[in-house]
């Protein structure tokens, strides 16, 4: 039987989607509902799935999740089913026709309607602001979304068609959110957006990311700020001065480069050349000594012949990225590439190239991690299991980057603490170390 006044939330896709789910949870709880985040066996009187509609695998996962919930509804295990997020934003009319069992439909931006579509059963009459949220991540770590949308219109990407034009949040609102989360115990802030580089251009008529990060770093209690999803063309160079001078701004930058060969970059509409990319990386490393760079690359985009792929291999070999993800190109409908660049490279060729690229990156990651042996790093503890703790350095983002496994931990160590760890072993995707002493890092 569905549990009365219980609502289950299932959040799919990226961390930006997760933030929206956390905001929804806060609103629902303020209206008196008990909200369960991603329960193993949903049985609420309402189940909300926040969907992803970016690439084919994500779309398939979202549709399968919806169908599974509709089956559970028919079996009487749950009550109503509501759908929100990128998939329904992109395909609302089609989904309504194909899955009529869904009770409530919302897009990516109109999810607050859901709040008003439900009765208010709370006696407190609390009215939180729409940006307030209940963290589903460990309480010491939070994602911080500073803008929505994208104006870049890369040939392969459907995101602008889903999210719309780039829209920055006001600095004052972001600062207020950070202060509130610090008050709840957050120490680490992973700053996210579709395009960090464009922050402020719509709201202030200028790039304002450097100023925003400086202002956040001044807030007492903010221990780490980590930056995700910068765009290389028009990169805000003044940000580098903030990264170099502020101790609580992690020496870490997630910047998706996609490719290095000029013909491919031009077909991708990336608005940057090979030479400009190399100059940018050189400048970043020169002005922020010790910075670790994470990037994302693509194989098999139209225009990538054997020569262009070998350029990509050489690029990765010489740049030695600290963190790297890669994927094969998959044509997305309603994109520039789908209309102008036929997807003619066979999938097996794309996959072989991807396998070669990632095999080389694994060797690079192993080599770079071995250079950490003997060094002492400040580590943030994410979880503790018996006498072993698992944490991350400033160079490691949650979920996607290596963990540090810490043996022989002090008895007073708790989740969310910082501790100095001497690295003793290294593998491509994890480090192993021991505390240097029982004193927690400042």
């Amino acid at each position: 039987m569905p549990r009365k006044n219980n609502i289950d939330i299932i959040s799919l896709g990226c961390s930006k989607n997760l933030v929206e789910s956390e905001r929804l949870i806060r609103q629902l709880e303020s209206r008196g509902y008990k909200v369960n985040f991603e329960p193993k066996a949903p049985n609420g009187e309402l189940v909300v799935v926040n969907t992803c509609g970016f690439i084919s695998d994500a779309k398939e996962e979202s549709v399968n999740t919806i169908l599974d919930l509709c089956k559970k509804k028919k079996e009487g295990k749950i009550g109503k089913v509501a759908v929100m997020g990128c998939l329904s934003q992109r395909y609302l009319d089609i989904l309504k026709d194909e899955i009529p069992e869904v009770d409530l439909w919302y897009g990516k931006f109109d999810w607050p309607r859901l709040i008003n579509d439900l009765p208010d059963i709370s006696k407190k009459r609390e009215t939180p602001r729409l940006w307030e949220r209940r963290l589903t991540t460990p309480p010491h770590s939070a994602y911080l979304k500073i803008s929505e949308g994208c104006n870049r219109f890369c040939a392969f990407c459907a995101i602008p068609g889903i999210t719309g034009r780039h829209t920055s949040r006001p600095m004052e609102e972001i600062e207020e959110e950070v202060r509130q989360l610090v008050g709840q115990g957050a120490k680490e802030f992973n700053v996210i957006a579709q395009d960090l580089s464009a922050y402020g251009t719509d709201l202030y008529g200028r790039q304002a990311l450097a100023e925003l990060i400086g202002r956040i770093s001044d807030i007492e209690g903010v221990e780490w700020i980590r930056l995700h999803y910068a765009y290389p063309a028009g990169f805000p160079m003044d940000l580098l001065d903030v990264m170099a001078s502020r101790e609580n701004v992690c020496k870490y930058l997630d910047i998706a480069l996609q490719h290095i060969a000029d013909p491919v970059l031009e077909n991708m509409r990336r608005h940057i050349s090979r030479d400009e990319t190399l100059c940018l990386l050189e400048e970043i490393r020169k002005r922020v000594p010790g910075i670790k760079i994470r990037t994302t690359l693509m194989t098999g985009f139209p225009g990538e012949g054997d020569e262009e792929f070998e350029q990509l291999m050489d690029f990765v070999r010489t740049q030695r990225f600290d963190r790297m993800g890669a994927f094969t190109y998959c044509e997305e409908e309603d994109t520039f590439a789908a209309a102008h660049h036929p997807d003619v490279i066979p999938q097996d060729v794309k996959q072989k190239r991807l396998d070669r690229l990632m095999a080389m990156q694994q060797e690079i990651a192993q080599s770079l991690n071995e250079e950490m042996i003997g060094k002492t790093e400040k580590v943030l503890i994410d979880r503790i299991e018996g006498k072993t703790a698992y944490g991350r350095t400033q160079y490691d983002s949650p979920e996607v980057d290596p963990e540090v496994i810490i043996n022989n931990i002090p008895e007073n160590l708790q989740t969310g603490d910082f501790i100095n760890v001497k690295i003793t072993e290294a593998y491509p995707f994890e480090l192993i170390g021991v505390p240097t002493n029982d004193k927690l890092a400042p």
Side-chain angles (χ1 to χ4, degrees):
M1 281 287 293
R3 293 169 299 167
K4 184 176 177 57
N5 298 334
N6 277 250
I7 298 177
D8 298 324
I9 306 290
I10 298 172
S11 191
L12 305 175
C14 66
S15 55
K16 295 180 285 293
N17 249 22
L18 181 64
V19 169
E20 295 304 316
S21 295
E22 291 176 340
R23 290 172 176 171
L24 175 61
I25 291 171
R26 179 73 179 88
Q27 296 293 324
L28 291 172
E29 289 180 336
S30 75
R31 295 176 75 85
Y33 293 94
K34 177 176 174 54
V35 182
N36 309 288
F37 182 70
E38 297 193 340
K40 293 182 179 179
N43 62 354
E45 68 173 354
L46 174 67
V47 181
V48 183
V49 54
N50 189 357
T51 60
C52 178
F54 178 35
I55 58 176
S56 57
D57 287 348
K59 289 185 284 188
E60 182 178 356
E61 180 188 20
S62 293
V63 170
N64 288 340
T65 300
I66 296 169
L67 293 175
D68 182 62
L69 291 173
C70 290
K71 180 182 177 182
K72 285 182 169 60
K73 171 189 168 183
K74 185 176 180 179
E75 294 169 346
K77 296 178 181 178
I78 64 175
K80 293 182 177 181
V81 176
V83 175
M84 59 180 279
C86 292
L87 187 75
S88 49
Q89 179 73 25
R90 190 176 182 184
Y91 301 109
L92 181 60
D93 292 337
I94 296 173
L95 290 169
K96 279 185 174 181
D97 289 340
E98 294 189 355
I99 317 179
E101 297 88 351
V102 172
D103 300 281
L104 300 167
W105 290 98
Y106 308 93
K108 180 175 176 58
F109 301 104
D110 65 345
W111 61 264
R113 285 197 300 111
L114 171 59
I115 311 303
N116 297 322
D117 287 344
L118 299 174
D120 187 346
I121 60 174
S122 171
K123 298 178 181 179
K124 296 181 180 179
R125 300 303 174 193
E126 183 184 10
T127 308
R129 290 156 293 190
L130 281 178
W131 53 260
E132 294 186 46
R133 52 199 170 109
R134 192 251 281 176
L135 294 182
T136 59
T137 54
H140 57 268
S141 180
Y143 291 104
L144 183 68
K145 184 158 69 170
I146 65 171
S147 66
E148 188 66 83
C150 183
N151 296 347
R152 303 289 185 169
F153 295 97
C154 297
F156 55 83
C157 186
I159 286 178
I162 302 172
T163 62
R165 306 289 285 184
H166 179 266
T167 305
S168 304
R169 294 178 61 196
M171 291 192 202
E172 293 77 14
E173 179 181 286
I174 296 171
E175 289 178 284
E176 188 174 0
E177 180 178 12
V178 170
R179 291 190 181 94
Q180 185 181 92
L181 291 172
V182 167
Q184 297 172 12
K187 302 175 181 180
E188 173 190 55
F189 292 86
N190 294 291
V191 181
I192 56 174
Q194 268 89 19
D195 179 5
L196 285 182
S197 300
Y199 177 79
T201 53
D202 58 313
L203 200 57
Y204 307 112
R206 59 184 172 83
Q207 289 178 306
L209 183 62
E211 179 182 346
L212 173 67
I213 298 305
R215 288 167 66 163
I216 295 173
S217 74
D218 285 336
I219 296 175
E220 186 176 356
V222 174
E223 296 278 355
W224 278 355
I225 302 169
R226 194 178 290 105
L227 302 173
H228 299 77
Y229 321 126
Y231 196 90
F235 182 85
M237 302 304 289
D238 56 347
L239 174 67
L240 301 178
D241 297 327
V242 176
M243 297 183 74
S245 62
R246 304 291 181 112
E247 288 189 4
N248 59 353
V249 179
C250 296
K251 304 302 182 283
Y252 176 106
L253 180 65
D254 190 334
I255 180 168
L257 298 173
Q258 304 298 354
H259 216 280
I260 194 59
D262 280 329
V264 182
L265 290 171
E266 184 175 349
N267 283 357
M268 286 180 168
R269 302 207 301 180
R270 293 289 287 173
H271 315 294
I272 193 169
S273 69
R274 170 191 177 89
D275 289 346
E276 290 168 336
T277 300
L278 294 175
C279 287
L280 173 61
L281 291 171
E282 181 181 4
E283 190 70 8
I284 290 172
R285 287 172 168 142
K286 182 176 72 175
R287 292 174 58 175
V288 188
I291 191 171
K292 309 292 185 184
I293 297 176
R294 162 172 276 280
T295 195
T296 305
L297 301 173
M298 185 189 303
T299 64
F301 189 80
E304 184 193 70
D306 291 339
E307 180 182 347
E308 287 76 19
F309 175 68
E310 291 304 327
Q311 288 184 39
L312 183 62
M313 288 286 288
D314 185 64
F315 176 58
V316 172
R317 186 181 298 111
T318 55
Q319 288 294 320
R320 292 172 61 81
F321 292 107
D322 303 275
R323 314 281 184 256
M324 192 190 87
F327 58 99
T328 61
Y329 171 64
C330 179
E331 184 177 279
E332 278 292 313
E333 59 188 343
D334 301 323
T335 61
F336 185 88
H340 297 89
H341 298 299
D343 184 10
V344 296
I345 300 176
Q347 181 60 35
D348 64 327
V349 174
K350 298 177 186 177
Q351 188 62 48
K352 287 178 182 177
R353 290 174 179 175
L354 177 64
D355 293 343
R356 282 186 60 197
L357 194 67
M358 293 309 298
M360 181 172 62
Q361 176 59 27
Q362 183 166 332
E363 293 179 2
I364 292 170
Q366 174 71 46
S367 175
L368 292 173
N369 279 350
E370 286 175 356
E371 293 176 8
M372 300 285 289
I373 295 176
K375 295 182 179 180
T376 297
E377 294 289 341
K378 182 178 178 180
V379 174
L380 176 61
I381 302 302
D382 285 326
R383 68 186 193 279
I384 296 174
E385 299 175 4
K387 287 289 186 178
T388 302
Y390 298 81
R392 291 172 290 108
T393 71
Q394 66 167 310
Y395 312 117
D396 302 307
S397 189
E399 305 294 334
V400 297
D401 290 330
E403 284 187 316
V404 181
I405 301 173
I406 310 157
N407 298 312
N408 302 319
I409 59 174
E411 292 185 2
N412 62 338
L413 189 67
Q414 298 181 18
T415 299
D417 284 343
F418 289 95
I419 186 171
N420 292 316
V421 176
K422 183 177 180 179
I423 306 302
T424 58
E425 297 179 55
Y427 301 92
F429 307 113
E430 65 185 19
L431 298 170
I432 297 177
V434 295
T436 56
N437 50 54
D438 290 351
K439 184 178 179 181
L440 298 183

